[in-house]
Amino acid sequence: MNVDVTLLPGIGVRKDFALAGGRRIGVITRKDGTNELIVSKRDDPDTTQASITLSNEEAAALGNLLGAPQLVAQLGEEHRELPGIRTRQLPVQEGSRFDGRTLGDTAMRTRTGVSVVAVMRAGQVQPSPAPDFTLVAGDLLVAVGTTEGLDHAAKILGC
């Protein structure tokens, strides 16, 4: 997938790509730090049909919604031929006792046999997080293990 990057003097940067139907979808990151989700008109890719301004927190949440399922699906496909192995997203909820604490503090692998293979945060993937990786509310842990282990891990995190 080719992402086009266009400098918008005095405004910021536009990053977008073509959809199969001919429209373009992208984000304008403004110099003031706001983000604008944009969709072009079908017959004119340079004209915006829809635009939604997103705060950094909203953009991060959208990134997690879009990115985490893709990562989980990919890992699930890779583990499909391994009987008994599952992949699941485990959120760190607001108010979780692990908000601001390290992954090692959860003792996830020791207590459940589950491996945290990535953390999605603000639309970014942190692969293979180390035990000293600090968790924050809103993180999505991508975990691999047995169904029972994943259920136990979810309980530990308070999911």
Side-chain angles (χ1 to χ4, degrees):
M1 178 81 41
N2 287 334
V3 175
D4 294 322
V5 178
T6 307
L7 294 177
L8 303 172
I11 299 171
V13 177
R14 175 181 172 152
K15 297 178 183 175
D16 64 347
F17 61 94
L19 299 173
R23 290 185 180 177
R24 296 187 71 79
I25 188 166
V27 174
I28 295 175
T29 304
R30 298 187 178 277
K31 287 186 173 187
D32 67 3
T34 60
N35 303 286
E36 188 177 348
L37 180 63
I38 55 171
V39 179
S40 72
K41 288 187 174 181
R42 186 177 313 275
D43 58 346
D44 184 1
D46 292 325
T47 303
T48 301
Q49 177 178 350
S51 166
I52 301 171
T53 301
L54 301 171
S55 69
N56 287 333
E57 183 179 19
E58 293 163 339
L62 181 59
N64 280 343
L65 288 174
L66 294 172
Q70 299 301 324
L71 180 58
V72 170
Q74 180 182 353
L75 288 170
E77 182 65 26
E78 291 173 3
H79 296 128
R80 184 172 49 160
E81 297 191 22
L82 299 174
I85 300 298
R86 303 284 178 260
T87 304
R88 190 182 300 172
Q89 298 175 61
L90 302 172
V92 178
Q93 306 282 355
E94 191 73 37
S96 167
R97 65 184 181 157
F98 294 108
D99 182 7
R101 295 180 59 194
T102 67
L103 179 59
D105 288 342
T106 68
M108 190 75 63
R109 186 163 172 81
T110 302
R111 295 168 68 186
T112 68
V114 165
S115 294
V116 175
V117 297
V119 176
M120 293 285 302
R121 176 184 294 161
Q124 301 293 313
V125 176
Q126 172 67 46
S128 304
D132 63 350
F133 182 86
T134 301
L135 302 172
V136 297
D139 284 351
L140 282 174
L141 282 59
V142 180
V144 175
T146 64
T147 300
E148 297 80 21
L150 290 166
D151 289 346
H152 189 203
K155 287 178 186 169
I156 289 170
L157 290 175
C159 302

